[in-house]
Amino acid sequence: MFVSLTRSFLLAVSCFVVLAGISPSALAISAAEYGVVLNLSGKQRMLTQKMSKEVTLVALGVDAEQNIKNLSATSDLCDRTLKGLRDGDAELGLPSTESKRIVRQLDKVDGIWAEFYPVIKDVIGSGAVTQDQLSLIAEKNLPLLKQMNKAVGLYEKDAKKNGTEASPGLATTINLAGKQRMLTQKMSKEYFLVALGFDVENNKLNLLYTYSLFDQTLSGLRDGDDILRFIR
């Protein structure tokens, strides 16, 4: 399912570049770069939840060695992409962000990441998860996700402002299609937190909400749903 969602999302990004009618000469960044920014900024949301899921799997002792390797790769990519969104990264195809409003939002993401990432590195270094580490990851992953989601919303607004009048709902569709990747990881994380006996009732409620949002968004992307434009 995750591979299928990724392919569908990349197709949506390609459609955005073509249908938006963005002229590379008219913008500080090109249409192709806009597609990469929308893809990778949206992917950051998924990475916050994938890291958290991998921490819970290590805590459960489920294929711990492999999940430590996965956690290392996921966190390295998240850190590199976050820096690339701000400063640019030629290998990732990311231009630097010029918008002061978006840079201020990335500052908020960086503030939470500065607390979150060292704990991730400690888990990778030790190959195990303490209760205190699990508590901090459980506490900080949603604020990190929410602040990154706000950054994605700002990138989406910039995309709409810079040429998506030809298909005004397309940038929102790209955002939500990309968000589905995150929801698959978030559901897994919440399930494993319940399995760990961590804040069970709240995580059961969160899991139900995440599942319902995923299902509604999937139906809306397939069949059309006016409510989707209000989902963030």
Side-chain angles (χ1 to χ4, degrees):
M1 177 183 285
F2 181 68
V3 172
S4 177
L5 281 170
T6 300
R7 288 174 178 169
S8 299
F9 176 69
L10 291 176
L11 178 60
V13 169
S14 300
C15 290
F16 164 74
V17 170
V18 174
L19 295 179
I22 298 175
S23 170
S25 62
L27 298 174
I29 64 174
S30 70
E33 287 172 327
Y34 249 119
V36 173
V37 169
L38 286 169
N39 179 16
L40 295 188
S41 64
K43 187 176 181 180
Q44 288 291 87
R45 298 175 298 193
M46 180 272 290
L47 295 178
T48 69
Q49 298 306 290
K50 187 170 186 287
M51 283 182 286
S52 303
K53 178 198 75 175
E54 288 159 353
V55 167
T56 62
L57 285 168
V58 173
L60 284 165
V62 176
D63 202 2
E65 184 176 348
Q66 183 58 52
N67 277 298
I68 286 291
K69 292 179 181 178
N70 295 344
L71 180 60
S72 179
T74 305
S75 60
D76 284 349
L77 179 58
C78 187
D79 187 57
R80 178 177 179 178
T81 305
L82 186 56
K83 292 172 180 173
L85 287 167
R86 179 188 295 274
D87 302 322
D89 186 314
E91 288 188 10
L92 292 178
L94 284 171
S96 59
T97 295
E98 302 296 332
S99 166
K100 292 181 180 179
R101 180 175 60 167
I102 297 177
V103 168
R104 286 194 298 269
Q105 183 56 38
L106 292 176
D107 286 340
K108 296 178 182 179
V109 177
D110 280 338
I112 303 172
W113 182 239
E115 299 178 72
F116 192 89
Y117 192 28
V119 177
I120 294 293
K121 289 193 286 188
D122 286 345
V123 170
I124 294 167
S126 67
V129 183
T130 68
Q131 189 65 27
D132 286 346
Q133 289 168 335
L134 183 63
S135 295
L136 189 139
I137 294 298
E139 175 189 349
K140 297 294 182 182
N141 81 91
L142 288 180
L144 182 61
L145 169 62
K146 289 176 181 178
Q147 293 302 327
M148 193 63 232
N149 192 48
K150 289 180 181 179
V152 176
L154 293 177
Y155 281 121
E156 179 190 340
K157 288 179 181 178
D158 266 20
K160 288 180 178 179
K161 182 175 67 177
N162 286 307
T164 56
E165 290 84 357
S167 185
L170 193 54
T172 298
T173 300
I174 292 170
N175 179 1
L176 294 178
K179 191 172 182 179
Q180 291 290 80
R181 298 179 295 187
M182 176 274 291
L183 294 176
T184 64
Q185 300 299 307
K186 187 171 183 284
M187 281 186 282
S188 299
K189 175 206 71 179
E190 289 158 351
Y191 181 88
F192 294 137
L193 284 171
V194 171
L196 284 164
F198 190 91
D199 200 7
V200 172
E201 292 307 315
N202 279 332
N203 278 301
K204 283 182 178 179
L205 290 173
N206 291 341
L207 179 58
L208 178 60
Y209 172 78
T210 306
Y211 165 79
S212 299
L213 180 57
F214 180 89
D215 187 58
Q216 180 187 10
T217 305
L218 186 62
S219 297
L221 289 169
R222 182 182 60 234
D223 303 324
D225 186 345
D226 286 340
I227 295 175
L228 288 184
R229 61 197 174 96
F230 298 111
I231 297 175
R232 288 293 183 272

